[in-house]
Amino acid sequence: MTESPEVHQSTRTSAGRPLRVAIIGHAFMGVAHTHAWRTAPRFFDLGHAPEIALLVGRDEARTRAAAERLQIAEIETDWRRAVEREDIDVVDICTPGDTHAEIALAALAAGKHVLCEKPLANSVAEAEAMTAAAERAAASGVRTFCGFSYRRTPALALAKRFVEEGRLGEIRHVRAQYLQDWLSDADTPLNWRLDKDKAGSGALGDIGAHSVDAAQWVSGQLIEGVSAMLHTFVETRPLAGTAEGLGGSAEAGAPRGPVTVDDAAAFTARFDGGAIGIFEATRFAQGRRNANRLEINGSLGSIAFDFESMNTLEYFDARDDQAAQGFRTIQVTDAVHPYTDHWWPVGHGLGYGDLFVHQVADVVAALETDTAPRPDFADALTVQRVLHAVEASAQDESRYTAVDRRDSGA
């Protein structure tokens, strides 16, 4: 792995000057992040309005076409030149996982703040090196953020508030599912998300990482051990076809290549606060487009969240009169709820893209107040270590495997 050189002093923005951002990657996440950087100052009071200064991609023609569509004036085909530019304040990494560590380490060494998509890296060793570099850079005012965007769902943030307020009492059970179906067709073409060298893992890291982060964040407890299974249902896929969303359609007669990641992950977990958990992640659940679910049961009550109904939270209070007990549906659109006072009148819900807007607002607020951001690289490292333990357990006949939180000295 590339060693991180001495960290330069943090890029500072003078009063009134825009916060200049370089977005590395222009596919799904690059578009989502572009939308967010542009939209956040229109709804949130940001002292430094973000400005997308640069879009970076490997292929000049595709990058230029994306920049024209997204109305970004300047492009670059080498991320190294982007992170070295003195006029760039924030490097926003929206690339496959195999490139995260190298880009982030170089950006931190150049004194740039870094927002990196999840999962943080493709291995614990890379994540540890990134976190160690982030800790060194923090001494010079450089900040790091990891894009676990579902934390910014108002309903999920309200669930965390309820746990912190003690409304659920002692946390006993955590159930997390992330169900998608875009790989259900065995002839969906091979892409980078199905290549372990690029993606690190399959459903486990792509969507299961979100579940691990949400479960730990909302419950306030860390996972300390797991017993896991990973499975690949379709072991080869067409090498040529047309991309459609995350998946696509195969070219007739196209040769097939190997799938080297898991299609589905399932594991039980023990939390350091005494709770037990059940997790499932799959991209083969027919009819489930993006069912990101979390339920937490405590001694005094429960919460249940499903992103397919993202503007509501189900809440049960065991202290209610028995004759009136039952889950109540909270419409999380009121000004008293997280983030929602910046948007529309009560009852007018939000959507997927708005989570990234909240993320930008939180990033800019942390930079303006020079406060520690959450989730940062250290938070993301806790998730990476759980993913590693899941893989280790699955390779060892599902034996219970402790999450190793020892610092390797990276």
Side-chain angles (χ1 to χ4, degrees), residues 42-186:
R42 291 171 170 80
F43 290 88
F44 291 79
D45 183 14
L46 306 181
H48 290 88
E51 175 184 301
I52 302 173
L54 189 62
L55 183 67
V56 183
R58 290 175 299 177
D59 182 275
E60 182 174 359
R62 286 196 302 235
T63 305
R64 192 169 301 282
E68 290 176 0
R69 185 176 69 255
L70 298 171
Q71 298 184 329
I72 299 172
E74 192 172 354
I75 71 164
E76 179 57 78
T77 56
D78 187 342
W79 63 261
R80 295 167 185 82
R81 288 195 290 267
V83 303
E84 291 168 357
R85 283 179 41 162
E86 292 186 0
D87 64 329
I88 296 299
D89 303 308
V90 179
V91 173
D92 186 353
I93 303 172
C94 300
T95 56
D98 63 320
T99 62
H100 287 184
E102 187 177 13
I103 298 172
L105 291 173
L108 290 171
K112 312 301 183 185
H113 308 295
V114 178
L115 168 60
C116 183
E117 260 304 322
K118 49 52 59 189
L120 185 61
N122 278 4
S123 70
V124 170
E126 288 180 339
E128 287 178 340
M130 294 167 72
T131 302
E135 290 172 351
R136 293 191 296 270
S140 300
V142 176
R143 299 298 186 181
T144 61
F145 312 81
C146 190
F148 284 106
S149 53
Y150 287 107
R151 287 194 183 200
R152 272 77 187 197
T153 311
L156 201 57
L158 182 64
K160 178 174 176 57
R161 181 192 295 176
F162 280 9
V163 171
E164 290 178 336
E165 292 173 348
R167 294 183 187 228
L168 271 61
E170 176 190 346
I171 303 302
R172 294 169 173 167
H173 291 282
V174 177
R175 297 182 191 84
Q177 290 181 311
Y178 204 144
L179 312 177
Q180 295 179 338
D181 69 353
W182 61 274
L183 278 177
S184 297
D185 184 348

Side-chain angles (χ1 to χ4, degrees), residues 10-22:
S10 169
T11 302
R12 297 294 185 183
T13 58
S14 58
R17 182 171 87 73
L19 191 71
R20 290 174 61 82
V21 181

Side-chain angles (χ1 to χ4, degrees), residues 184-399:
S184 297
D185 184 348
D187 288 329
T188 296
L190 202 66
N191 63 37
W192 71 265
R193 295 178 188 272
L194 303 174
D195 181 347
K196 187 173 180 61
D197 288 340
K198 290 183 172 62
S201 64
L204 175 63
D206 187 25
I207 55 180
H210 277 302
S211 293
V212 172
D213 179 69
Q216 294 190 142
W217 179 62
V218 175
S219 71
Q221 301 183 21
L222 294 177
I223 295 171
E224 62 180 15
V226 299
S227 177
M229 292 187 299
L230 299 177
H231 190 72
T232 302
F233 296 107
V234 178
E235 296 185 348
T236 66
R237 288 186 177 274
L239 293 172
T242 303
E244 298 169 6
L246 292 173
S249 301
E251 182 179 294
R256 300 175 77 90
V259 173
T260 54
V261 299
D262 58 281
D263 285 331
F267 62 96
T268 57
R270 189 174 299 279
F271 288 77
D272 62 2
I276 61 172
I278 299 175
F279 291 77
E280 180 185 11
T282 180
R283 299 181 290 202
F284 278 72
Q286 288 279 23
R288 299 299 182 191
R289 303 305 197 205
N290 199 46
N292 180 4
R293 301 168 170 177
L294 180 68
E295 180 170 324
I296 297 180
N297 309 126
S299 58
L300 299 178
S302 299
I303 58 94
F305 167 78
D306 186 337
F307 188 75
E308 290 187 342
S309 300
M310 65 168 286
N311 290 293
T312 63
L313 179 68
E314 301 295 315
Y315 170 56
F316 177 86
D317 189 341
R319 293 162 293 188
D320 285 344
D321 179 79
Q322 188 171 3
Q325 282 186 352
F327 273 94
R328 67 189 71 168
T329 299
I330 302 171
Q331 296 288 333
V332 190
T333 60
D334 201 284
V336 298
H337 295 137
Y339 299 108
T340 51
D341 59 321
H342 293 275
W343 291 94
W344 317 114
V346 62
H348 295 70
L350 299 181
Y352 175 72
D354 300 323
L355 311 187
F356 296 92
V357 176
H358 299 162
Q359 179 170 269
V360 164
D362 287 346
V363 166
V364 175
L367 296 181
E368 289 177 346
T369 58
D370 195 26
T371 54
R374 303 297 297 272
D376 60 7
F377 280 13
D379 293 318
L381 175 58
T382 70
V383 175
Q384 200 78 45
R385 286 171 167 163
V386 173
L387 302 182
H388 178 75
V390 168
E391 290 187 309
S393 173
Q395 292 168 4
D396 191 25
E397 299 181 329
S398 302
R399 286 186 174 85

